[in-house]
């Protein structure tokens, strides 16, 4: 699967309903509550850099990592326009490498759901722990089992725009907890010519129990889980949740 290749071209168009400013305000609020008011922050799975740019505006020194060359090219185009000093790296989150440690790692917009195997999830968390400053903070979100099972399920979503249209066929397997969605994109190339592209994406639903176990195995300390964009506990009907973990171990090892 080559996710976000053709879709990268129109990703921001279809995401224009996402209140990135509100998301940024929520995330920066969580960062500050945990003592991260400035410094180096990694946006893991940064996509086209919309949130990365806003976090740079908020005073953080940003690094963006993504495995889609097409998405990163758009992010770098935004950087050229804004003049922000953001470092972008094309890397798989299961193997990412940084030049040093950072004060916080963020992974927003269900990037972690793209990790399909539990062992890979542990490896991502292990790398996060490795590249965090002592006591550094990891904040990430997830689509929940409830959302995949009860909200998305086996559905078809379509949207028609002047520049492009898409059809999203969604399938969820409750046994494997794998969510598959097939995207058919119709992108306008000339005034009356639309070219069709197809992509297939896979995401996995993880329970909070699985996440907590993976964090523990990776050496991270689980702190909190919230119903998205609130400080409320996770509910059975939560569709997106935010989780916060902390690096542990470096001070003891170095001390």
């Amino acid at each position: 699967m080559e996710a976000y290749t053709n879709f990268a071209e129109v990703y921001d168009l279809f995401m224009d309903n996402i209140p990135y400013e509100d998301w940024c305000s929520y995330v920066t609020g969580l960062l500050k509550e945990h003592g991260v008011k400035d410094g180096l922050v990694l946006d893991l799975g940064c996509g086209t850099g919309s949130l990365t740019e806003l976090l740079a505006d908020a005073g953080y020194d940003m690094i963006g990592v993504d495995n889609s060359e097409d998405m990163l090219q758009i992010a770098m185009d935004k950087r050229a326009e804004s003049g922000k000093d953001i470092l972008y790296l094309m890397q798989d989150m299961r193997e990412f490498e940084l030049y040093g440690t950072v004060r916080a790692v963020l992974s927003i917009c269900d990037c972690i759901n793209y990790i399909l195997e539990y062992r890979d999830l542990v490896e991502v968390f292990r790398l996060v722990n490795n590249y965090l400053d002592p006591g550094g903070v990891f904040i990430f979100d997830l689509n929940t089992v409830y959302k995949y099972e009860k909200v998305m399920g086996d559905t078809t979503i379509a949207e028609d725009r002047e520049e492009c249209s898409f059809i999203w066929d969604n399938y969820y397997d409750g046994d494997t907890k794998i969510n598959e969605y097939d995207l058919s994109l119709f992108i306008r190339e000339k005034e009356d010519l639309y070219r069709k592209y197809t992509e297939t994406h896979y995401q996995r639903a993880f329970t909070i129990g699985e996440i907590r176990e993976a964090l523990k195995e990776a050496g991270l300390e689980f702190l909190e889980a919230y119903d998205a964009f609130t400080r409320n506990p996770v509910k059975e009907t939560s569709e997106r949740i935010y989780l916060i973990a902390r690096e542990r171990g470096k001070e003891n090892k170095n001390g």
Side-chain angles (χ1 to χ4, degrees):
M1 178 191 73
E2 291 187 24
Y4 294 118
T5 51
N6 300 308
F7 193 45
E9 182 181 341
V10 294
Y11 179 84
D12 285 340
L13 177 65
F14 286 120
M15 295 289 280
D16 62 2
N17 63 331
I18 297 296
Y20 282 113
E21 290 83 2
D22 293 342
W23 285 24
C24 182
S25 178
Y26 180 72
V27 170
T28 54
L30 294 176
L31 286 171
K32 290 172 182 176
E33 285 174 23
H34 291 277
V36 184
K37 299 179 181 180
D38 54 21
L40 273 173
V41 172
L42 169 64
D43 187 358
L44 189 59
C46 63
T48 63
S50 295
L51 185 61
T52 324
E53 289 268 335
L54 291 171
L55 288 162
D57 282 337
Y60 295 99
D61 300 320
M62 296 305 301
I63 302 170
V65 165
D66 204 277
N67 70 342
S68 168
E69 181 179 0
D70 300 85
M71 298 284 269
L72 281 178
Q73 184 57 59
I74 295 170
M76 289 187 286
D77 290 343
K78 291 177 182 177
R79 179 185 64 187
E81 185 174 339
S82 70
K84 301 286 193 313
D85 186 17
I86 300 171
L87 173 64
Y88 285 113
L89 302 171
M90 189 176 76
Q91 298 181 345
D92 189 316
M93 65 167 55
R94 295 168 297 183
E95 302 173 334
F96 77 90
E97 297 180 28
L98 302 180
Y99 303 109
T101 58
V102 297
R103 296 199 65 191
V105 176
L106 307 173
S107 191
I108 307 302
C109 207
D110 47 84
C111 293
I112 296 297
N113 288 113
Y114 278 95
I115 303 300
L116 304 182
E117 301 292 337
Y118 178 80
R119 295 314 314 168
D120 287 340
L121 182 70
V122 173
E123 180 61 15
V124 172
F125 290 170
R126 187 192 69 79
L127 288 169
V128 167
N129 195 47
N130 182 60
Y131 286 110
L132 279 172
D133 288 345
V137 177
F138 179 32
I139 299 173
F140 60 103
D141 71 358
L142 287 170
N143 284 331
T144 63
V145 174
Y146 173 83
K147 181 175 181 178
Y148 288 122
E149 195 171 65
K150 303 297 184 183
V151 179
M152 298 176 72
D154 293 341
T155 58
T156 298
I157 304 168
E159 188 168 333
D160 185 23
R161 303 282 188 100
E162 185 175 343
E163 300 89 345
C164 54
S165 304
F166 77 84
I167 301 172
W168 172 326
D169 290 311
N170 199 86
Y171 312 94
Y172 178 68
D173 187 323
D175 294 328
T176 63
K177 296 182 181 175
I178 298 294
N179 190 80
E180 173 186 342
Y181 58 95
D182 298 323
L183 281 172
S184 298
L185 303 163
F186 304 88
I187 301 175
R188 186 170 69 179
E189 295 190 348
K190 297 180 182 179
E191 185 173 346
D192 57 351
L193 175 64
Y194 288 76
R195 190 171 298 278
K196 180 181 179 181
Y197 301 91
T198 58
E199 291 189 9
T200 300
H201 294 237
Y202 298 93
Q203 293 185 324
R204 176 172 169 178
F206 289 101
T207 65
I208 291 182
E210 289 172 318
I211 293 294
R212 293 188 64 160
E213 184 61 31
L215 289 169
K216 181 180 179 181
E217 200 172 335
L220 285 156
E221 177 188 3
F222 172 81
L223 298 179
E224 295 160 320
Y226 293 129
D227 188 35
F229 313 118
T230 75
R231 301 299 192 276
N232 300 328
V234 175
K235 304 177 295 186
E236 287 186 7
T237 56
S238 294
E239 296 182 23
R240 183 183 298 275
I241 61 175
Y242 270 73
L243 299 103
I244 306 171
R246 187 185 302 279
E247 186 281 337
R248 64 181 185 187
K250 288 193 180 72
E251 289 178 318
N252 292 334
K253 291 175 183 175
N254 296 335

